[in-house]
């Protein structure tokens, strides 16, 4: 676990919302919330988006919101229709509530909350539109519990997407990042097509094509603490096809006439 950096005021008091989609994360969510609330970021709030988890994650989220009144908002959705849709709901809520900065991270503790101040400090000091917590820049690393197959699959996915979309980003599938409000607004969240994990790629691609400043900082990516991965076959197929569709949409959008 990294040691959180200490940000000076007024940076430490920035209005930052962390958006966390959940589905069957009842065991992990209290741990994540405790770590986020312990950060020296008094302006930090949390938007939890629960997709009607059968394990009671929504009820756990409501209890945590009551314990941290004014700092946690819970968005209850009635169906599980993809990570992308959950993130859009949470980001839209964060922007509507006045957040100046919006972070996105997983609920399974694979993204250590201690990096959040560093993400924010990097964004504020550089004027970037988005700062990405990257596994594949120098200094970044993967959990030792990841086997050879998972490492090869993850590395191949990044190489595959970069070959199709030509983005100068090392970790194009990264899900741990922090956005400036204006950068998110420029992406037109309501028109995002992806519903699964390819949402991350589409967000990066839109930001890149709109000329936003994108930076990566190294992180250590942990294996999930409890529960099982949500990466089913349908999600894998969408992730494989989405880069081609994104390239097609971009070409049609810029076609003369």
């Amino acid at each position: 676990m990294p040691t959180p950096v200490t940000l000076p005021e007024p940076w430490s008091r920035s209005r930052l919302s962390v958006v966390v989609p959940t589905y069957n994360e009842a065991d992990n969510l209290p741990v994540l919330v405790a770590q986020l609330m312990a950060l020296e970021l008094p302006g930090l709030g949390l938007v939890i988006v629960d997709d009607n988890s059968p394990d009671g994650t929504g009820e756990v989220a409501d209890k945590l919101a009551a314990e941290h009144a004014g700092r946690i908002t819970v968005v209850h959705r009635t169906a599980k229709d993809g990570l992308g849709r959950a993130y859009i709901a949470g980001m839209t809520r964060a922007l509507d509530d006045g957040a100046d900065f919006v972070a996105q991270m997983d609920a399974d503790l694979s993204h250590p909350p201690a990096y959040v101040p560093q993400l924010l400090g990097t964004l504020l000091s550089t004027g970037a539109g988005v700062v990405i917590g990257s596994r594949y820049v120098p200094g970044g690393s993967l959990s030792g519990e990841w086997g050879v197959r998972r490492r090869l699959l993850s590395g191949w996915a990044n190489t595959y997407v970069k070959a199709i979309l030509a983005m100068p980003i090392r970790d194009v599938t990264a899900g741990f990042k922090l956005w400036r409000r204006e950068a998110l607004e420029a992406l037109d969240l309501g028109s995002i097509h992806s519903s699964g994990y390819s949402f991350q790629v589409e967000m990066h691609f839109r930001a890149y094509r709109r000329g936003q400043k994108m930076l990566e900082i190294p992180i250590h990516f942990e294996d999930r603490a409890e529960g099982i991965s949500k990466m089913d076959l349908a999600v894998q197929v969408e992730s494989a096809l989405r880069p081609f569709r994104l390239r097609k949409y971009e070409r049609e959008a810029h076609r003369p006439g």
Side-chain angles (χ1 to χ4, degrees):
M1 176 68 67
T3 300
V5 299
T6 300
L7 298 180
E9 293 192 17
W11 288 6
S12 63
R13 295 188 176 276
S14 298
R15 298 186 65 179
L16 164 65
S17 286
V18 180
V19 177
V20 179
T22 60
Y23 186 77
N24 286 349
E25 299 288 0
D27 293 330
N28 292 324
L29 188 59
V31 180
L32 176 66
V33 169
Q35 293 180 9
L36 285 170
M37 294 294 109
L39 297 174
E40 295 181 21
L41 297 173
L44 181 147
L46 182 60
V47 178
I48 300 169
V49 185
D50 185 66
D51 280 2
N52 197 26
S53 299
D55 74 341
T57 301
E59 290 79 2
V60 172
D62 287 336
K63 291 178 181 178
L64 291 167
E67 293 171 10
H68 301 277
R71 297 192 69 184
I72 297 179
T73 299
V74 183
V75 177
H76 293 280
R77 302 202 310 153
T78 57
K80 184 176 184 291
D81 65 346
L83 181 73
R85 306 265 67 81
Y87 263 126
I88 289 170
M91 290 174 164
T92 300
R93 180 61 179 269
L95 294 175
D96 288 346
D97 288 346
D100 293 320
F101 308 96
V102 178
Q104 54 179 107
M105 64 189 303
D106 292 344
D108 61 9
L109 303 176
S110 59
H111 299 149
Y115 287 111
V116 171
Q118 187 179 355
L119 289 168
L120 179 59
T122 302
L123 185 143
L124 288 168
S125 63
T126 62
V130 59
V131 177
I132 302 164
S134 177
R135 299 162 290 182
Y136 299 121
V137 293
S141 58
L142 291 166
S143 168
E145 297 180 16
W146 271 43
V148 174
R149 180 178 177 277
R150 290 180 71 186
R151 290 173 182 269
L152 289 175
L153 180 60
S154 178
W156 176 85
N158 268 276
T159 301
Y160 170 81
V161 171
K162 286 189 290 184
I164 297 168
L165 298 180
M167 283 189 288
I169 302 171
R170 294 285 189 93
D171 197 346
V172 295
T173 61
F176 188 21
K177 67 202 79 167
L178 192 147
W179 298 86
R180 191 179 295 274
R181 178 189 185 90
E182 294 79 8
L184 275 184
E185 291 175 335
L187 299 189
D188 187 15
L189 293 175
S191 67
I192 295 288
H193 300 284
S194 304
S195 59
Y197 285 85
S198 58
F199 168 80
Q200 313 293 4
V201 174
E202 183 166 357
M203 292 284 283
H204 290 149
F205 188 57
R206 287 197 177 202
Y208 168 62
R209 295 295 296 184
R210 284 159 176 74
Q212 293 184 12
K213 185 174 182 178
M214 308 170 71
L215 298 178
E216 295 177 85
I217 65 169
I219 65 163
H220 176 69
F221 184 87
E222 297 283 359
D223 201 13
R224 73 161 27 252
E226 301 288 345
I228 60 174
S229 172
K230 317 302 192 298
M231 181 72 82
D232 59 20
L233 179 60
V235 170
Q236 293 179 45
V237 171
E238 186 205 14
S239 297
L241 296 177
R242 182 59 62 181
F244 290 102
R245 292 170 179 167
L246 292 176
R247 188 172 64 179
K248 178 183 177 183
Y249 295 147
E250 191 66 27
R251 287 175 175 173
E252 290 178 348
H254 292 86
R255 183 177 296 167

